[in-house]
Amino acid sequence: MNTSGTVVLKKKKDKPVRQGHPWIFSGAIARVEGEVRNGDLVRVVSAKNHPLAIGYLNNNSQIRVRLLTWQAETIDDTFWQSRIAAAVERRRRLNIDATATRLIFGEADQLPGLIVDQYGDWLVMQCLTLGIDVRKEQIADALLAVTGARGIVERSDASVRRKEGLRKVTGVLRGEAPPAELEVVEHGLRFGVNLADGHKTGFYVDQRDNRALVAKLCAGKDVLNVFSYTGGFGVHAAAAGAKSVVNVDSSVEVLDLAERNFERNELTGEFIAADAFELLRHYRDEGQQFDVIVLDPPKFVNSQRDLKRAARGYKDINLLAFQLLRENGVLATFSCSGLVSADLYQKIVFGAVIDSGRNAQIIQQLTQAPDHPVLLTFPESFYLKGLLCRVW
Ligand code: SAH
């Protein structure tokens, strides 16, 4: 084993570790033995010195240790390669109908702190923790060996890195630079993706199946795609025969790409750069109505402190959507905030429907695509909640 020291847990704090939860918070630790620097590998033992697991440590984070393995093994090139190969193999078995997929979903693939998405021949890698950051070259080698990708783009620019004491790092990490607008195919539809500075790793891969599902309800309908980003739900809706598709986003840049994405698929749509809350209020005041509305806002909640304000935001936008829907209309409403539980989100949408004076039934509960799996021993990996509602 190539560990630098040992983390001894407090009494009765070993149960989550024994049950496979990959995080150890500062409060569970009695002491750290040995010369351990942040990012180093540590053995984790119970208060009675029973070996439990191996992980990497960071004293700058409330999550002191993230666990990599529950066996006595060496964390070397072979380890990373076999973990990565296993994650990639699990994706292959899903038979995903897209060239943009998540290959590695951090903790859910027992690779805490590491996100890797594949876009055609390129990989985009996010190192979210120090333990991954200091090993990124070794991990990049393993990724290339397993996938044979033409290049790896690093997008370590997520704000969570601050909690680890890390700054933002972006750029081509390995191989060739990708085209400025790389084309991917999702359920037969083409999308341009900007890997260098698009949101997240470039595309909201997690909404793939929800886009196709909602599209099935759009033939002949007037569709309002709110928080459209590069047009994902809108392109799918238009391709499925929507009568009209209005895409709304506050960013002009992403709407330009949305427009090109419609063109790529020989579809037409409308693109409006506006604050969603203001525009929907304006539509309501004008008496404008739609048959299908998609609400896919950005993460409103980053910490417990934001929760109340965010809940109000979710309620307001859902209330407006209910008010804008025609009789028997459809609302597809999402929250990607991990801190908002499915239960709480449903309560928020309930509050909105009451205030709107409408009736609605949930026709389907939606979630993240299967390449973003939820590890049973790490329920925190469940973050995307959606409700597909029929409204009258
Ligand atoms: N549905 C999209 C992803 C949406 S991401 C897809 O399938 O790809 C959320 C989007 O909301 C981002 O593009 C962001 O620019 C936009 N946004 C954030 N705040 C907004 C606001 N107040 N009004 C309109 N758009 C907003």
Side-chain angles (χ1 to χ4, degrees):
M1 278 185 292
N2 50 345
T3 49
S4 322
T6 302
V7 167
V8 183
L9 298 184
K10 290 180 183 162
K11 258 194 235 160
K12 295 194 177 146
K13 292 287 184 187
D14 54 332
K15 192 171 169 195
V17 177
R18 288 184 192 278
Q19 292 185 333
H21 196 282
W23 289 352
I24 298 176
F25 287 92
S26 52
I29 297 175
R31 61 184 184 280
V32 179
E33 296 171 349
E35 284 270 310
V36 185
R37 287 164 312 163
N38 289 335
D40 281 357
L41 295 168
V42 287
R43 287 170 71 234
V44 176
V45 301
S46 70
K48 288 185 181 155
N49 204 31
H50 286 297
L52 299 171
I54 296 168
Y56 57 76
L57 174 128
N58 185 359
N59 284 314
N60 291 325
S61 170
Q62 276 308 304
I63 305 171
R64 284 294 147 86
V65 183
R66 295 190 194 230
L67 299 174
L68 293 165
T69 180
W70 282 255
Q71 327 254 288
E73 62 183 316
T74 304
I75 311 299
D76 54 9
D77 294 352
T78 311
F79 170 84
W80 294 108
Q81 258 201 48
S82 68
R83 273 291 156 88
I84 289 167
V88 170
E89 172 59 16
R90 287 191 290 266
R91 299 310 185 280
R92 198 188 60 73
R93 287 167 188 252
L94 292 172
N95 288 319
I96 292 171
D97 182 16
T99 60
T101 55
R102 175 143 300 185
L103 291 186
I104 296 171
F105 184 35
E107 276 77 352
D109 281 303
Q110 295 181 310
L111 287 163
L114 178 65
I115 301 290
V116 180
D117 287 344
Q118 178 151 28
Y119 292 96
D121 295 335
W122 273 269
L123 302 181
V124 181
M125 172 176 175
Q126 285 189 321
C127 306
L128 301 178
T129 57
L130 180 69
I132 292 297
D133 200 77
V134 297
R135 292 174 181 82
K136 73 180 177 192
E137 298 297 340
Q138 187 180 27
I139 293 169
D141 286 340
L143 283 167
L144 288 179
V146 171
T147 64
R150 260 169 86 177
I152 303 179
V153 175
E154 182 175 9
R155 287 294 305 276
S156 297
D157 50 5
S159 56
V160 289
R161 275 172 62 97
R162 249 180 285 146
K163 295 185 189 168
E164 292 274 322
L166 293 167
R167 270 187 288 199
K168 298 184 176 182
V169 180
T170 59
V172 176
L173 182 64
R174 289 298 175 86
E176 288 171 53
E181 210 169 289
L182 180 77
E183 195 169 279
V184 297
V185 182
E186 176 182 277
H187 294 308
L189 296 169
R190 294 165 346 139
F191 291 92
V193 182
N194 178 342
L195 302 186
D197 51 30
H199 292 185
K200 301 220 284 188
T201 63
F203 198 56
Y204 289 84
V205 190
D206 53 355
Q207 287 283 28
R208 177 192 314 115
D209 297 342
N210 297 328
R211 289 189 275 256
L213 193 94
V214 173
K216 285 191 189 163
L217 304 171
C218 291
K221 306 294 185 200
D222 291 319
V223 178
L224 178 63
N225 180 22
V226 190
F227 306 101
S228 70
Y229 188 51
T230 55
F233 281 94
V235 167
H236 278 269
K243 182 155 67 149
S244 70
V245 181
V246 177
N247 300 280
V248 181
D249 203 285
S250 53
S251 154
V252 176
E253 232 185 334
V254 306
L255 283 176
D256 284 345
L257 182 48
E259 205 164 342
R260 288 197 294 282
N261 285 337
F262 272 69
E263 281 164 12
R264 271 195 171 87
N265 296 283
E266 294 169 17
L267 300 166
T268 49
E270 209 181 314
F271 307 89
I272 302 180
D275 173 68
F277 293 83
E278 280 176 25
L279 185 74
L280 268 59
R281 253 179 242 122
H282 170 76
Y283 281 157
R284 181 195 58 196
D285 297 344
E286 300 278 298
Q288 184 139 354
Q289 294 208 299
F290 298 88
D291 303 303
V292 179
I293 299 180
V294 177
L295 295 181
D296 186 20
K299 198 166 155 189
F300 284 161
V301 191
N302 286 308
S303 69
Q304 284 293 344
R305 264 182 324 183
D306 303 334
L307 204 54
K308 223 171 155 185
R309 189 182 47 76
R312 208 172 313 128
Y314 283 125
K315 181 174 170 192
D316 288 349
I317 200 76
N318 278 282
L319 169 57
L320 286 162
F322 281 127
Q323 290 170 328
L324 293 179
L325 280 166
R326 292 199 182 107
E327 189 76 6
N328 277 323
V330 169
L331 172 66
T333 178
F334 297 93
S335 164
C336 61
S337 304
L339 288 170
V340 176
S341 67
D343 198 37
L344 174 59
Y345 196 59
Q346 190 171 320
K347 284 192 180 118
I348 292 170
V349 177
F350 160 78
V353 81
I354 294 295
D355 286 7
S356 73
R358 307 293 298 268
N359 280 302
Q361 53 188 198
I362 296 170
I363 51 181
Q364 198 159 343
Q365 315 249 11
L366 307 174
T367 187
Q368 61 224 49
D371 48 345
H372 299 61
V374 181
L375 189 70
L376 270 169
T377 56
F378 183 67
E380 292 88 336
S381 39
F382 170 44
Y383 68 98
L384 182 63
K385 293 139 301 255
L387 297 172
L388 189 62
C389 299
R390 172 76 62 193
V391 183
W392 67 93

